Amino acid sequence: MADGGEVKLLGFWGSPGSPQQEELYAIAVQSVHKKVPVLVHHGKPIAESLVILEYIDETWKQSRLLPQDPSERARARFWAKFADEKCVLAIMAVFRSEGEEQQKLVLEARETLKILESGLEGKLFFGGETINFVDVATGWIGCWAQIVEEITGTSLIDAENMPSLDAWFKRFLELPVIKECVPPWDKLIELNSGFHKMCVA
Amino acid sequence: MGEELKLLGMWGSLFSRRVEMALKIKGVEYEYSEQEIFHNKSASLLKYNPVHKKVPVLIHNGKPIAESQVILEYIDDTWKDHPILPQDPYERAMARFWAKFLDEKCVPALWKACMSVGPEREKTQEEACELLSTLEGELKGKKFFGGENIGFVDIVADVLGYWVGVLQEAVGVDILTEDKFPVLCRWAEDFRNCPVVKENLPPRDRLLAFFITQSEMLNSLQQK
């Protein structure tokens, strides 16, 4: 890292939180929630991925994730929060359910994704021409949604109903810096299939 | 300065009052607009918060900001005097972590614990108490979560500072009590006595009546 300080990222390679970070190490750190990811900098731990992103943005100022303008920052935080709280939960609900209930939850998940699409406002990325805080915080959802789609046989994001969101996810996952961080597809499927069996058992 | 600052809020909402506390800390003038939050939502509310259709919404020079924690950060980013968040990045991360913990875990758990009936009650109350123990531990040795003065976490913890006490009385439960949580209760009293908080709390009897009505409505729904 640029400042020479020691940075360790505790992440589980298959967890939705981990692809957002730049490097992965496996070191155990106690946190309140006992969950990953946890960033440890100069021996101090920080948990919760959005909190970690803000910390990274404020500590390594070379390439800012959040916009400078306060109202643009507020917009970015709003959409990151929306994706984190509504989209993630909705997709998780689909993953954990079956049958008729699942069909209903798929519709709800698609609705939240449609709202997320409105936040994109037809741009290439939430950050405009380049990625910003929101893209980094939420782009992984596209990968995870595809995994859930494959395992559950449902359709969450499609080019017909959510053209700009669909294009954005694909564009984000193709970026070299992001591609490096995403674990191999077949391993993700294997891991999440295991979780799925546990959820619907 | 020619600035237009308007808050769409609701008198009893702990989320809405957070924004008012923050604006008072900054000494910023604003126009307040009371909103209907259950039925008959105003055209303004629907226009300025189409995603959630909820209060609070802060409108600054025509630009709306929704979600109370996002608004608090906006206020701190825009008016630099009397900072609400700490300056150090690690301290800021800690503040954001605890604020998230409060809103994502504590607020729903406390509401659930107060509104549940029958056998579920014991379990939900236990869960709420566990979360409060974590906060009690975090607060030890400090006057406020923000140190000597109230800050971001204290404002977000307004649920504990005032609302939960009234809610407990409305439904007849004891969750946040002095014998179980002496540190939190001492903090709550200090919090309520801060001038920017004191002037911004909804009247107790009105809030109590509101919670009693809410509880009765929920009970009748649960029994159907």
Side-chain angles (χ1 to χ4, degrees):
Chain A
M1 286 283 158
D3 73 348
E6 194 191 53
V7 185
K8 285 171 189 151
L9 174 66
L10 169 65
F12 177 54
W13 63 264
S15 79
S18 51
Q20 299 168 22
Q21 317 303 330
E22 296 196 0
E23 291 158 326
L24 271 177
Y25 298 89
I27 295 158
V29 172
Q30 283 294 311
S31 69
V32 170
H33 299 312
K34 296 178 175 54
K35 280 183 185 170
V36 292
V38 177
L39 184 78
V40 185
H41 187 213
H42 294 307
K44 294 178 185 173
I46 301 144
E48 293 295 313
S49 54
L50 292 184
V51 175
I52 294 171
L53 283 186
E54 294 243 22
Y55 176 82
I56 289 171
D57 195 48
E58 287 169 4
T59 305
W60 292 281
K61 298 195 184 14
Q62 311 89 293
S63 199
R64 301 310 296 257
L65 290 170
L66 274 166
Q68 290 302 292
D69 171 70
S71 66
E72 289 305 308
R73 289 162 81 81
R75 262 192 96 246
R77 286 179 176 129
F78 176 89
W79 286 111
K81 199 172 197 278
F82 178 81
D84 208 42
E85 288 175 9
K86 304 284 181 198
C87 302
V88 171
L89 280 180
I91 297 172
M92 186 58 96
V94 168
F95 187 67
R96 289 187 164 147
S97 59
E98 291 181 294
E100 242 182 77
E101 201 209 338
Q102 187 180 66
Q103 283 172 26
K104 179 170 153 263
L105 292 167
V106 165
L107 290 174
E108 287 176 15
R110 288 170 66 93
E111 256 177 60
T112 65
L113 289 164
K114 200 85 185 109
I115 296 173
L116 183 63
E117 187 182 53
S118 74
L120 192 52
E121 290 175 348
K123 301 196 296 272
L124 285 180
F125 297 106
F126 278 91
E129 299 286 310
T130 55
I131 59 172
N132 79 354
F133 185 82
V134 187
D135 302 284
V136 176
T138 63
W140 67 273
I141 296 176
C143 180
W144 188 47
Q146 286 173 335
I147 293 167
V148 171
E149 282 173 338
E150 178 153 331
I151 293 172
T152 61
T154 58
S155 170
L156 294 168
I157 304 166
D158 66 69
E160 199 190 320
N161 291 299
M162 300 165 215
S164 59
L165 194 75
D166 185 68
W168 167 69
F169 281 141
K170 293 185 166 117
R171 196 178 295 129
F172 178 77
L173 293 168
E174 278 304 307
L175 292 169
V177 69
I178 301 302
K179 236 173 161 165
E180 272 172 38
C181 299
V182 179
W185 176 258
D186 52 350
K187 288 212 162 160
L188 282 171
I189 292 287
E190 193 189 321
L191 175 73
N192 283 284
S193 297
F195 285 145
H196 187 242
K197 286 199 181 80
M198 278 168 28
C199 290
V200 299
Chain B
M1 217 186 154
E3 284 198 59
E4 247 183 35
L5 191 62
K6 188 172 180 175
L7 174 65
L8 307 183
M10 187 262 183
W11 67 269
S13 161
L14 61 96
F15 301 103
S16 179
R17 292 287 180 169
R18 287 175 185 171
V19 177
E20 297 198 77
M21 289 173 202
L23 290 170
K24 287 279 186 322
I25 289 173
K26 298 290 185 177
V28 175
E29 297 282 319
Y30 61 98
E31 186 197 327
Y32 177 80
S33 170
E34 177 69 20
Q35 299 294 306
E36 289 290 318
I37 61 168
F38 296 117
H39 314 288
N40 304 317
K41 292 184 181 184
S42 74
S44 260
L45 185 59
L46 299 175
K47 174 183 171 191
Y48 289 116
N49 192 1
V51 173
H52 299 293
K53 306 177 179 57
K54 285 181 177 173
V55 295
V57 183
L58 187 70
I59 308 159
H60 189 204
N61 294 328
K63 288 187 187 165
I65 304 116
E67 296 292 287
S68 64
Q69 286 193 32
V70 175
I71 299 173
L72 292 181
E73 294 241 25
Y74 175 81
I75 289 171
D76 216 35
D77 279 343
T78 307
W79 292 279
K80 302 285 189 193
D81 284 340
H82 311 290
I84 294 169
L85 275 159
Q87 297 302 298
D88 170 71
Y90 180 73
E91 296 303 318
R92 290 163 78 83
M94 288 300 101
R96 287 176 178 131
F97 175 88
W98 289 112
K100 205 169 198 281
F101 179 79
L102 276 156
D103 271 355
E104 284 181 14
K105 308 276 184 214
C106 299
V107 170
L110 285 164
W111 182 257
K112 222 170 151 181
C114 289
M115 292 302 178
S116 51
V117 287
E120 231 199 31
R121 228 181 202 198
E122 206 185 305
K123 179 167 165 269
T124 54
Q125 283 184 28
E126 237 176 74
E127 285 168 4
C129 284
E130 238 184 82
L131 296 169
L132 291 179
S133 297
T134 306
L135 282 168
E136 174 102 346
E138 175 57 23
L139 193 51
K140 275 204 173 80
K142 292 196 280 210
K143 181 168 191 204
F144 295 111
F145 289 100
E148 277 309 300
N149 298 305
I150 61 166
F152 189 70
V153 182
D154 302 278
I155 297 172
V156 173
D158 64 347
V159 60
L160 301 177
Y162 184 68
W163 275 259
V164 80
V166 184
L167 182 56
Q168 284 180 169
E169 190 183 323
V171 298
V173 302
D174 280 324
I175 300 173
L176 180 63
T177 58
E178 237 181 280
D179 55 297
K180 283 190 279 191
F181 303 107
V183 178
L184 271 175
C185 290
R186 188 269 313 152
W187 165 85
E189 207 184 315
D190 287 339
F191 175 78
R192 285 190 299 272
N193 285 326
C194 291
V196 299
V197 175
K198 218 171 182 170
E199 306 163 1
N200 270 306
L201 295 176
R204 202 174 200 282
D205 47 357
R206 197 176 169 199
L207 193 63
L208 186 65
F210 174 76
F211 280 145
I212 291 172
T213 314
Q214 288 292 294
S215 159
E216 282 168 357
M217 261 171 39
L218 269 165
N219 276 335
S220 68
L221 282 171
Q222 279 168 348
Q223 276 158 30
K224 283 197 177 127

